[in-house]
Amino acid sequence: ISRCPGTFSATQSAKSAAWDADDWDDLATIALRRNAAHYWASEQTAMIDGATYRLIVYRSSALGAHQAKSVDRAIAKARESLTRAAQGLTKQTFHCAHNAEVAAPGLSGPG
């Protein structure tokens, strides 16, 4: 048994697969104290250097709040960046839709 380093692409793939499948084995809590973290595990397989490995992904209720804060920070940062980009684009004049789309890839509307 070994911890798979985060630098292996198989690590992120296993985590993604575990969350996508949403098939977790309940491991309960380990500590006896009130508000102790709850743990779950999901078994995944991955190929590393041509060999198949069994990987176990663990998740903890204690990490949920930390991860939520990280996601909130990333969303705020992305919102700020997009707002700045949009403000910059409003100061430009485009002579056709094509030029506007080239200046703002991924920001065009539906269709």
XYZ file of all heavy atoms in Angstrom:
830
model
N 0.856 -1.176 0.000
C 0.000 0.000 0.000
C 0.896 1.230 0.000
O 1.853 1.314 0.750
C -0.911 0.018 1.234
C -1.886 -1.157 1.160
C -1.670 1.319 1.324
C -2.768 -1.283 2.362
N 0.555 2.174 -0.869
C 1.340 3.384 -1.000
C 0.422 4.531 -1.392
O -0.630 4.317 -1.992
C 2.416 3.175 -2.072
O 3.124 4.360 -2.294
N 0.822 5.729 -1.078
C 0.071 6.919 -1.494
C 0.501 7.270 -2.910
O 1.680 7.384 -3.203
C 0.362 8.089 -0.557
C -0.441 9.319 -0.905
C -0.123 10.450 0.069
N -0.928 11.609 -0.179
C -0.685 12.517 -1.120
N 0.356 12.381 -1.909
N -1.472 13.554 -1.281
N -0.482 7.439 -3.790
C -0.189 7.795 -5.187
C 0.111 9.296 -5.238
O -0.729 10.107 -4.835
C -1.381 7.450 -6.069
S -1.039 7.603 -7.823
N 1.276 9.689 -5.716
C 1.624 11.115 -5.767
C 0.664 11.906 -6.640
O 0.170 11.406 -7.649
C 3.026 11.127 -6.382
C 3.551 9.743 -6.213
C 2.351 8.837 -6.224
N 0.406 13.130 -6.240
C -0.480 14.000 -6.985
C 0.045 14.361 -8.357
O -0.700 14.836 -9.207
N 1.332 14.118 -8.596
C 1.920 14.427 -9.908
C 1.544 13.387 -10.960
O 1.729 13.630 -12.142
C 3.454 14.519 -9.809
O 3.952 13.304 -9.247
C 3.871 15.701 -8.951
N 1.022 12.235 -10.536
C 0.583 11.216 -11.482
C -0.779 11.634 -12.028
O -1.683 11.983 -11.270
C 0.432 9.859 -10.798
C 1.721 9.134 -10.524
C 2.876 9.805 -10.198
C 1.765 7.758 -10.571
C 4.055 9.144 -9.931
C 2.940 7.075 -10.311
C 4.081 7.767 -9.996
N -0.945 11.577 -13.337
C -2.244 11.934 -13.919
C -3.323 10.961 -13.452
O -4.493 11.321 -13.373
C -2.166 11.972 -15.440
O -1.845 10.691 -15.942
N -2.925 9.746 -13.107
C -3.881 8.751 -12.626
C -4.540 9.194 -11.322
O -5.691 8.846 -11.058
C -3.183 7.411 -12.412
N -3.847 9.985 -10.524
C -4.407 10.459 -9.264
C -5.614 11.341 -9.518
O -6.693 11.121 -8.957
C -3.352 11.238 -8.453
O -2.237 10.375 -8.213
C -3.895 11.728 -7.146
N -5.471 12.336 -10.372
C -6.583 13.236 -10.666
C -7.704 12.496 -11.391
O -8.872 12.731 -11.123
C -6.116 14.441 -11.489
C -7.176 15.491 -11.655
C -7.729 16.024 -10.344
O -6.986 16.300 -9.408
N -9.029 16.145 -10.248
N -7.345 11.576 -12.281
C -8.360 10.795 -12.994
C -9.184 9.959 -12.023
O -10.406 9.865 -12.159
C -7.705 9.880 -14.024
O -7.058 10.640 -15.007
N -8.520 9.353 -11.041
C -9.221 8.534 -10.056
C -10.153 9.390 -9.206
O -11.290 9.004 -8.918
C -8.223 7.795 -9.170
N -9.685 10.567 -8.803
C -10.534 11.470 -8.016
C -11.754 11.892 -8.816
O -12.885 11.866 -8.318
C -9.749 12.708 -7.583
C -8.705 12.433 -6.525
C -7.958 13.718 -6.199
C -6.838 13.504 -5.226
N -6.119 14.762 -4.922
N -11.546 12.262 -10.065
C -12.658 12.682 -10.920
C -13.651 11.543 -11.122
O -14.864 11.743 -11.053
C -12.141 13.165 -12.272
O -11.383 14.331 -12.120
N -13.136 10.351 -11.372
C -14.002 9.191 -11.579
C -14.822 8.893 -10.327
O -16.005 8.551 -10.412
C -13.170 7.977 -11.980
N -14.194 9.027 -9.164
C -14.899 8.772 -7.903
C -16.048 9.761 -7.713
O -17.167 9.382 -7.361
C -13.929 8.855 -6.730
N -15.778 11.024 -7.961
C -16.824 12.043 -7.802
C -17.906 11.872 -8.864
O -19.102 12.046 -8.574
C -16.227 13.447 -7.851
C -15.546 13.799 -6.560
C -14.211 13.812 -6.327
C -16.170 14.163 -5.322
N -13.959 14.163 -5.020
C -15.134 14.383 -4.378
C -17.483 14.322 -4.919
C -15.394 14.750 -3.066
C -17.741 14.687 -3.611
C -16.700 14.898 -2.693
N -17.528 11.537 -10.099
C -18.513 11.357 -11.169
C -19.426 10.163 -10.882
O -20.636 10.233 -11.097
C -17.825 11.166 -12.519
C -17.170 12.440 -13.030
O -17.470 13.535 -12.495
O -16.339 12.343 -13.957
N -18.842 9.064 -10.408
C -19.615 7.856 -10.117
C -20.474 8.031 -8.868
O -21.536 7.426 -8.743
C -18.677 6.660 -9.946
N -20.008 8.840 -7.953
C -20.706 9.091 -6.679
C -21.103 7.785 -5.996
O -22.221 7.615 -5.526
C -21.922 9.996 -6.904
C -22.423 10.607 -5.600
O -21.611 10.762 -4.667
O -23.623 10.921 -5.517
N -20.168 6.840 -5.966
C -20.380 5.535 -5.347
C -19.355 5.373 -4.234
O -18.242 4.892 -4.464
C -20.248 4.423 -6.393
C -20.534 3.056 -5.818
O -21.228 2.953 -4.789
O -20.056 2.058 -6.411
N -19.712 5.806 -3.037
C -18.779 5.845 -1.915
C -19.141 4.802 -0.868
O -20.312 4.598 -0.570
C -18.803 7.230 -1.261
C -18.406 8.326 -2.183
C -19.223 9.078 -2.969
C -17.083 8.798 -2.430
N -18.498 9.990 -3.702
C -17.179 9.847 -3.380
C -15.822 8.457 -1.951
C -16.076 10.543 -3.847
C -14.722 9.138 -2.416
C -14.861 10.169 -3.351
N -18.127 4.147 -0.302
C -18.325 3.249 0.834
C -18.178 4.068 2.103
O -17.179 4.781 2.285
C -17.285 2.121 0.825
C -17.465 1.187 -0.361
O -18.628 0.925 -0.734
O -16.450 0.748 -0.927
N -19.161 3.966 2.975
C -19.169 4.733 4.224
C -18.196 4.097 5.217
O -18.324 2.930 5.569
C -20.588 4.736 4.798
C -20.757 5.709 5.929
O -19.753 6.116 6.552
O -21.917 6.069 6.210
N -17.210 4.862 5.647
C -16.227 4.368 6.612
C -16.509 4.864 8.021
O -15.799 4.512 8.954
C -14.814 4.797 6.200
C -14.358 4.348 4.810
C -12.954 4.857 4.528
C -14.422 2.843 4.664
N -17.510 5.726 8.163
C -17.907 6.304 9.452
C -16.870 7.303 9.957
O -16.061 7.815 9.195
C -18.169 5.209 10.472
N -16.896 7.559 11.253
C -15.929 8.464 11.864
C -14.844 7.641 12.528
O -15.064 6.493 12.905
C -16.585 9.388 12.904
O -17.215 8.574 13.880
C -17.614 10.299 12.278
N -13.688 8.243 12.673
C -12.583 7.532 13.315
C -12.441 7.986 14.757
O -12.261 7.191 15.661
C -11.274 7.745 12.526
C -11.421 7.088 11.149
C -10.084 7.172 13.275
C -10.278 7.328 10.208
N -12.556 9.279 14.992
C -12.427 9.834 16.347
C -13.769 9.745 17.077
O -14.834 9.683 16.468
C -11.974 11.281 16.272
N -13.711 9.755 18.393
C -14.920 9.664 19.202
C -15.457 11.030 19.620
O -16.515 11.122 20.214
C -14.655 8.812 20.446
C -14.271 7.361 20.165
C -13.941 6.637 21.457
C -15.390 6.648 19.426
N -14.736 12.089 19.308
C -15.154 13.422 19.756
C -16.353 13.916 18.945
O -16.602 13.469 17.828
C -13.996 14.411 19.663
C -13.578 14.743 18.262
C -12.409 15.747 18.255
N -12.066 16.130 16.921
C -11.271 15.472 16.116
N -10.707 14.358 16.541
N -11.021 15.891 14.902
N -17.057 14.883 19.528
C -18.186 15.496 18.848
C -17.668 16.272 17.640
O -16.565 16.811 17.678
C -18.894 16.439 19.825
C -20.232 16.922 19.331
C -20.960 17.665 20.440
N -20.154 18.763 20.962
C -20.429 20.042 20.780
N -21.494 20.386 20.107
N -19.651 20.974 21.278
N -18.411 16.305 16.567
C -18.024 16.968 15.316
C -16.807 16.327 14.642
O -16.088 16.999 13.897
C -17.766 18.461 15.525
C -19.007 19.185 15.978
O -20.111 18.787 15.636
N -18.840 20.240 16.749
N -16.550 15.066 14.925
C -15.431 14.372 14.278
C -15.728 14.215 12.786
O -16.882 14.086 12.381
C -15.227 13.000 14.916
N -14.693 14.244 11.998
C -14.846 14.114 10.549
C -15.369 12.725 10.189
O -15.035 11.728 10.824
C -13.516 14.367 9.861
N -16.176 12.688 9.167
C -16.730 11.449 8.634
C -15.956 11.120 7.356
O -15.598 12.023 6.606
C -18.223 11.661 8.316
C -18.974 10.400 8.177
N -19.680 9.841 9.225
C -19.142 9.577 7.130
C -20.254 8.725 8.807
N -19.939 8.541 7.531
N -15.720 9.843 7.107
C -14.919 9.451 5.956
C -15.666 8.492 5.034
O -16.478 7.682 5.483
C -13.614 8.781 6.411
C -12.705 9.734 7.123
C -12.775 9.897 8.499
C -11.791 10.501 6.412
C -11.948 10.800 9.147
C -10.963 11.394 7.054
C -11.043 11.547 8.423
O -10.231 12.445 9.063
N -15.372 8.586 3.737
C -15.902 7.714 2.714
C -14.756 7.308 1.803
O -13.763 8.023 1.685
C -16.960 8.423 1.873
C -18.168 8.848 2.632
C -19.334 8.140 2.796
C -18.366 10.075 3.319
N -20.226 8.863 3.546
C -19.650 10.062 3.878
C -17.565 11.208 3.529
C -20.159 11.116 4.620
C -18.077 12.258 4.277
C -19.365 12.199 4.811
N -14.908 6.162 1.118
C -13.878 5.682 0.195
C -14.534 5.204 -1.100
O -15.669 4.730 -1.101
C -13.091 4.539 0.814
N -13.792 5.330 -2.199
C -14.252 4.865 -3.504
C -13.082 4.173 -4.195
O -12.005 4.749 -4.320
C -14.736 6.046 -4.348
O -15.099 5.617 -5.642
N -13.312 2.943 -4.631
C -12.255 2.178 -5.309
C -12.265 2.486 -6.797
O -13.303 2.480 -7.446
C -12.459 0.684 -5.091
C -11.370 -0.162 -5.709
C -11.519 -1.641 -5.398
O -12.185 -1.986 -4.402
O -10.965 -2.438 -6.165
N -11.081 2.764 -7.340
C -10.907 3.060 -8.760
C -9.722 2.238 -9.277
O -8.923 1.745 -8.498
C -10.630 4.553 -8.969
C -11.683 5.472 -8.390
C -13.027 5.300 -9.045
O -13.114 5.182 -10.266
N -14.089 5.279 -8.259
N -9.624 2.098 -10.586
C -8.453 1.455 -11.184
C -7.820 2.430 -12.172
O -8.495 3.294 -12.729
C -8.821 0.154 -11.923
O -9.802 0.438 -12.909
C -9.348 -0.901 -10.964
N -6.524 2.279 -12.347
C -5.799 3.162 -13.264
C -4.604 2.418 -13.832
O -4.059 1.507 -13.208
C -5.336 4.414 -12.541
N -4.204 2.847 -15.027
C -3.008 2.309 -15.655
C -1.863 3.287 -15.397
O -1.974 4.476 -15.682
C -3.201 2.170 -17.165
C -4.221 1.129 -17.576
S -3.665 -0.550 -17.277
C -2.399 -0.715 -18.502
N -0.772 2.763 -14.837
C 0.431 3.556 -14.609
C 1.596 2.762 -15.172
O 1.856 1.641 -14.738
C 0.646 3.860 -13.108
C -0.549 4.612 -12.533
C 1.938 4.651 -12.902
C -0.495 4.808 -11.018
N 2.277 3.328 -16.147
C 3.398 2.658 -16.810
C 3.038 1.251 -17.298
O 3.800 0.304 -17.134
C 4.621 2.596 -15.881
C 5.239 3.951 -15.667
O 5.091 4.817 -16.560
O 5.870 4.164 -14.615
N 1.838 1.118 -17.864
C 1.438 -0.154 -18.452
C 0.905 -1.178 -17.476
O 0.531 -2.274 -17.874
N 0.864 -0.869 -16.187
C 0.346 -1.809 -15.190
C -0.945 -1.259 -14.591
O -1.094 -0.059 -14.403
C 1.375 -2.028 -14.087
N -1.878 -2.160 -14.289
C -3.139 -1.758 -13.673
C -2.974 -1.709 -12.158
O -2.463 -2.651 -11.551
C -4.264 -2.751 -14.038
O -4.376 -2.809 -15.454
C -5.586 -2.324 -13.446
N -3.400 -0.590 -11.575
C -3.322 -0.405 -10.132
C -4.709 -0.185 -9.556
O -5.584 0.386 -10.206
C -2.455 0.812 -9.788
C -0.983 0.575 -9.996
C -0.399 0.752 -11.242
C -0.186 0.166 -8.937
C 0.947 0.534 -11.433
C 1.166 -0.059 -9.126
C 1.726 0.124 -10.373
O 3.060 -0.096 -10.562
N -4.899 -0.621 -8.349
C -6.128 -0.373 -7.596
C -5.871 0.869 -6.750
O -4.941 0.908 -5.953
C -6.419 -1.575 -6.704
C -7.623 -1.412 -5.833
C -7.836 -2.703 -5.032
N -8.811 -2.476 -4.001
C -8.681 -2.894 -2.755
N -7.606 -3.562 -2.388
N -9.619 -2.654 -1.883
N -6.692 1.890 -6.955
C -6.544 3.137 -6.214
C -7.779 3.353 -5.343
O -8.907 3.117 -5.786
C -6.384 4.321 -7.165
C -5.235 4.237 -8.167
C -5.263 5.438 -9.094
C -3.904 4.165 -7.440
N -7.570 3.802 -4.130
C -8.667 4.118 -3.221
C -8.674 5.626 -3.009
O -7.670 6.203 -2.591
C -8.520 3.400 -1.855
C -8.284 1.896 -2.037
C -9.732 3.682 -0.976
C -9.421 1.151 -2.688
N -9.795 6.250 -3.333
C -9.962 7.689 -3.143
C -10.749 7.874 -1.855
O -11.792 7.248 -1.660
C -10.728 8.321 -4.331
C -10.964 9.802 -4.093
C -9.973 8.092 -5.628
N -10.229 8.708 -0.978
C -10.910 8.997 0.283
C -11.458 10.414 0.251
O -10.863 11.300 -0.349
C -9.934 8.875 1.460
C -9.475 7.469 1.698
C -8.259 7.020 1.196
C -10.260 6.580 2.411
C -7.837 5.723 1.401
C -9.845 5.276 2.623
C -8.635 4.854 2.114
O -8.225 3.571 2.316
N -12.593 10.590 0.900
C -13.105 11.942 1.094
C -13.531 12.087 2.541
O -13.884 11.109 3.200
C -14.228 12.262 0.118
C -15.598 11.920 0.554
C -16.613 12.375 -0.497
N -17.799 11.588 -0.377
C -18.967 12.058 0.035
N -19.108 13.316 0.326
N -19.998 11.261 0.137
N -13.468 13.307 3.018
C -13.734 13.599 4.417
C -14.717 14.761 4.517
O -14.636 15.719 3.740
C -12.421 13.970 5.113
O -12.676 14.618 6.331
N -15.599 14.700 5.481
C -16.534 15.801 5.701
C -15.797 17.049 6.165
O -16.252 18.162 5.934
C -17.590 15.406 6.733
O -16.984 15.119 7.988
N -14.644 16.895 6.771
C -13.868 18.042 7.258
C -13.296 18.849 6.110
O -13.105 20.051 6.220
C -12.741 17.572 8.176
N -13.033 18.205 4.990
C -12.465 18.913 3.851
C -13.519 19.683 3.070
O -13.195 20.572 2.304
C -11.754 17.933 2.918
C -10.513 17.269 3.494
C -9.932 16.291 2.485
C -9.477 18.296 3.873
N -14.774 19.361 3.262
C -15.839 20.014 2.519
C -15.835 21.524 2.675
O -15.907 22.257 1.688
N -15.724 22.013 3.899
C -15.733 23.456 4.137
C -14.493 24.105 3.540
O -14.573 25.174 2.935
C -15.810 23.732 5.632
N -13.342 23.451 3.680
C -12.092 23.990 3.127
C -12.181 24.064 1.602
O -11.805 25.055 0.993
C -10.917 23.121 3.561
C -9.616 23.507 2.937
N -8.949 24.651 3.291
C -8.881 22.916 1.970
C -7.851 24.747 2.559
N -7.785 23.696 1.756
N -12.692 22.997 0.987
C -12.820 22.970 -0.463
C -13.839 23.996 -0.937
O -13.646 24.628 -1.972
C -13.219 21.577 -0.937
C -12.093 20.569 -0.784
C -12.538 19.153 -1.063
O -13.703 18.816 -0.903
N -11.604 18.307 -1.449
N -14.912 24.175 -0.189
C -15.923 25.169 -0.567
C -15.320 26.569 -0.568
O -15.586 27.368 -1.466
C -17.110 25.096 0.385
N -14.488 26.854 0.422
C -13.832 28.166 0.476
C -12.900 28.337 -0.721
O -12.827 29.422 -1.310
C -13.059 28.330 1.782
C -13.944 28.537 2.989
C -13.130 28.697 4.249
C -14.020 28.793 5.472
N -13.251 28.907 6.705
N -12.181 27.284 -1.077
C -11.282 27.347 -2.235
C -12.058 27.601 -3.512
O -11.655 28.404 -4.348
C -10.488 26.051 -2.365
O -9.618 25.892 -1.275
N -13.181 26.916 -3.669
C -14.006 27.104 -4.858
C -14.572 28.520 -4.885
O -14.576 29.178 -5.926
C -15.144 26.050 -4.914
C -16.169 26.385 -5.977
C -14.565 24.663 -5.157
N -15.034 28.999 -3.733
C -15.559 30.371 -3.655
C -14.497 31.388 -4.056
O -14.781 32.341 -4.784
C -16.075 30.683 -2.251
C -17.376 29.964 -1.929
O -18.030 29.466 -2.869
O -17.724 29.909 -0.732
N -13.260 31.184 -3.587
C -12.166 32.098 -3.952
C -11.883 32.037 -5.449
O -11.671 33.061 -6.102
C -10.901 31.775 -3.158
C -10.914 32.303 -1.735
C -9.533 32.223 -1.101
N -8.981 30.878 -1.052
C -9.175 30.011 -0.069
N -9.899 30.346 0.966
N -8.633 28.817 -0.107
N -11.886 30.835 -6.006
C -11.631 30.683 -7.450
C -12.735 31.343 -8.271
O -12.462 31.993 -9.288
C -11.508 29.198 -7.810
N -13.976 31.202 -7.834
C -15.092 31.834 -8.541
C -14.975 33.344 -8.469
O -15.159 34.037 -9.477
C -16.447 31.353 -7.969
C -16.680 29.895 -8.353
C -17.597 32.241 -8.446
C -17.867 29.258 -7.662
N -14.656 33.877 -7.288
C -14.506 35.329 -7.135
C -13.378 35.858 -8.020
O -13.517 36.904 -8.662
C -14.251 35.681 -5.671
N -12.283 35.110 -8.071
C -11.143 35.529 -8.895
C -11.515 35.504 -10.385
O -11.187 36.425 -11.130
C -9.956 34.607 -8.620
C -8.656 35.058 -9.208
C -7.525 34.154 -8.745
C -6.200 34.636 -9.275
N -5.085 33.814 -8.802
N -12.215 34.458 -10.800
C -12.641 34.358 -12.197
C -13.637 35.460 -12.543
O -13.558 36.061 -13.620
C -13.259 32.982 -12.471
N -14.558 35.734 -11.626
C -15.538 36.803 -11.858
C -14.827 38.145 -12.032
O -15.150 38.928 -12.935
C -16.532 36.881 -10.701
C -17.570 37.998 -10.889
C -18.555 38.087 -9.735
N -19.429 36.914 -9.772
C -19.625 36.087 -8.742
N -19.025 36.305 -7.603
N -20.437 35.063 -8.854
N -13.853 38.407 -11.165
C -13.098 39.663 -11.245
C -12.357 39.766 -12.580
O -12.374 40.804 -13.242
C -12.111 39.736 -10.078
C -11.336 41.021 -10.001
C -10.378 41.020 -8.807
O -10.791 40.614 -7.715
O -9.220 41.425 -9.011
N -11.739 38.684 -12.991
C -10.993 38.667 -14.252
C -11.928 38.887 -15.446
O -11.625 39.666 -16.355
C -10.260 37.338 -14.387
O -9.618 37.240 -15.624
N -13.073 38.210 -15.440
C -14.030 38.365 -16.535
C -14.631 39.768 -16.562
O -14.861 40.328 -17.638
C -15.140 37.318 -16.423
C -14.732 35.888 -16.762
C -15.854 34.916 -16.410
C -14.370 35.765 -18.229
N -14.869 40.333 -15.386
C -15.401 41.693 -15.316
C -14.420 42.684 -15.915
O -14.798 43.559 -16.700
C -15.735 42.075 -13.858
O -16.721 41.156 -13.360
C -16.270 43.491 -13.754
N -13.135 42.535 -15.561
C -12.103 43.413 -16.137
C -12.040 43.256 -17.647
O -11.955 44.231 -18.393
C -10.738 43.126 -15.511
C -10.511 43.788 -14.174
C -9.035 43.780 -13.778
N -8.404 42.476 -13.868
C -8.337 41.586 -12.882
N -8.856 41.873 -11.716
N -7.746 40.424 -13.044
N -12.089 42.011 -18.115
C -12.028 41.759 -19.559
C -13.244 42.364 -20.264
O -13.115 42.993 -21.318
C -11.944 40.259 -19.831
N -14.420 42.205 -19.668
C -15.637 42.758 -20.271
C -15.595 44.282 -20.294
O -15.987 44.909 -21.280
C -16.868 42.275 -19.512
N -15.093 44.876 -19.217
C -14.983 46.336 -19.175
C -14.027 46.829 -20.253
O -14.272 47.854 -20.896
C -14.527 46.806 -17.794
C -15.605 46.675 -16.746
C -15.098 46.954 -15.340
O -13.900 46.972 -15.084
N -16.025 47.134 -14.403
N -12.958 46.117 -20.472
C -12.009 46.488 -21.522
C -12.637 46.388 -22.902
O -12.413 47.237 -23.764
N -13.458 45.353 -23.107
C -14.103 45.171 -24.403
C -15.174 46.236 -24.668
O -15.421 46.583 -25.820
C -14.716 43.774 -24.500
C -13.719 42.623 -24.616
C -14.431 41.289 -24.529
C -12.928 42.728 -25.907
N -15.811 46.732 -23.615
C -16.849 47.752 -23.833
C -16.250 49.061 -24.334
O -16.971 49.885 -24.890
C -17.645 48.038 -22.541
O -16.756 48.531 -21.531
C -18.370 46.801 -22.050
N -14.968 49.239 -24.167
C -14.312 50.476 -24.613
C -13.834 50.373 -26.065
O -13.320 51.338 -26.602
C -13.133 50.805 -23.697
C -13.570 51.099 -22.271
C -12.394 51.297 -21.353
C -12.887 51.489 -19.930
N -11.811 51.558 -18.983
N -14.001 49.198 -26.662
C -13.552 48.993 -28.033
C -14.732 49.052 -29.001
O -15.855 48.716 -28.643
C -12.870 47.632 -28.179
C -11.580 47.514 -27.384
C -10.924 46.163 -27.611
O -11.055 45.586 -28.688
N -10.228 45.663 -26.612
N -14.463 49.479 -30.197
C -15.469 49.490 -31.258
C -15.120 48.383 -32.249
O -13.983 48.290 -32.697
C -15.474 50.851 -31.984
O -15.730 51.871 -31.032
C -16.531 50.883 -33.064
N -16.102 47.563 -32.540
C -15.912 46.474 -33.494
C -16.766 46.754 -34.716
O -17.927 47.143 -34.607
C -16.291 45.135 -32.856
C -15.474 44.803 -31.648
C -15.979 44.981 -30.368
C -14.179 44.339 -31.787
C -15.212 44.694 -29.261
C -13.405 44.034 -30.675
C -13.928 44.218 -29.414
N -16.213 46.537 -35.880
C -16.909 46.839 -37.126
C -17.740 45.668 -37.645
O -18.522 45.846 -38.572
C -15.912 47.311 -38.183
C -15.219 48.577 -37.764
N -15.862 49.787 -37.739
C -13.968 48.804 -37.311
C -15.025 50.716 -37.299
N -13.874 50.144 -37.030
N -17.546 44.488 -37.031
C -18.380 43.346 -37.414
C -18.365 42.328 -36.271
O -17.503 42.374 -35.387
C -17.897 42.699 -38.713
S -16.292 41.889 -38.588
N -19.323 41.427 -36.295
C -19.449 40.412 -35.244
C -18.214 39.519 -35.187
O -17.761 39.137 -34.101
C -20.698 39.574 -35.475
N -17.658 39.210 -36.339
C -16.476 38.342 -36.389
C -15.317 38.956 -35.597
O -14.658 38.271 -34.811
C -16.058 38.073 -37.835
C -14.771 37.305 -37.931
N -14.694 35.963 -37.635
C -13.510 37.703 -38.259
C -13.448 35.562 -37.779
N -12.707 36.592 -38.164
N -15.047 40.224 -35.764
C -13.960 40.886 -35.035
C -14.212 40.867 -33.531
O -13.288 40.667 -32.740
C -13.783 42.322 -35.520
C -13.205 42.406 -36.915
O -12.766 41.413 -37.468
N -13.222 43.603 -37.488
N -15.453 41.060 -33.135
C -15.796 41.020 -31.710
C -15.579 39.613 -31.145
O -15.049 39.450 -30.045
C -17.237 41.460 -31.500
N -15.988 38.594 -31.895
C -15.813 37.218 -31.434
C -14.339 36.840 -31.332
O -13.938 36.113 -30.419
C -16.549 36.264 -32.372
C -18.058 36.386 -32.250
C -18.802 35.613 -33.327
O -18.145 34.962 -34.181
O -20.034 35.687 -33.328
N -13.528 37.327 -32.231
C -12.083 37.059 -32.193
C -11.460 37.728 -30.964
O -10.594 37.159 -30.303
C -11.388 37.526 -33.494
C -9.884 37.495 -33.349
C -11.834 36.670 -34.667
N -11.950 38.925 -30.624
C -11.404 39.659 -29.475
C -11.820 39.032 -28.147
O -11.120 39.170 -27.153
C -11.861 41.114 -29.514
N -12.949 38.329 -28.116
C -13.458 37.771 -26.868
C -13.844 36.306 -27.044
O -15.004 35.940 -26.995
C -14.665 38.575 -26.412
N -12.854 35.422 -27.247
C -13.178 34.006 -27.438
C -13.844 33.442 -26.192
O -13.476 33.738 -25.074
C -11.823 33.342 -27.696
C -10.825 34.279 -27.102
C -11.429 35.650 -27.223
N -14.890 32.649 -26.411
C -15.587 32.015 -25.300
C -16.602 32.905 -24.625
O -17.334 32.472 -23.749
N -16.668 34.185 -24.988
C -17.618 35.086 -24.365
C -18.823 35.364 -25.239
O -19.711 36.094 -24.845
C -16.941 36.438 -24.024
C -15.808 36.375 -22.999
C -15.237 37.765 -22.777
C -16.291 35.782 -21.689
N -18.857 34.792 -26.442
C -19.979 35.059 -27.328
C -21.228 34.373 -26.801
O -21.161 33.391 -26.078
C -19.672 34.613 -28.750
O -19.420 33.221 -28.772
N -22.373 34.867 -27.187
C -23.663 34.345 -26.715
C -23.999 33.013 -27.349
O -23.212 32.431 -28.092
N -25.215 32.523 -27.080
C -25.642 31.226 -27.620
C -25.776 31.250 -29.132
O -26.116 32.252 -29.714
C -27.007 30.984 -26.970
C -27.396 32.233 -26.269
C -26.200 33.146 -26.232
N -25.515 30.089 -29.704
C -25.708 29.904 -31.137
C -24.605 30.490 -31.896
O -24.433 30.640 -33.014
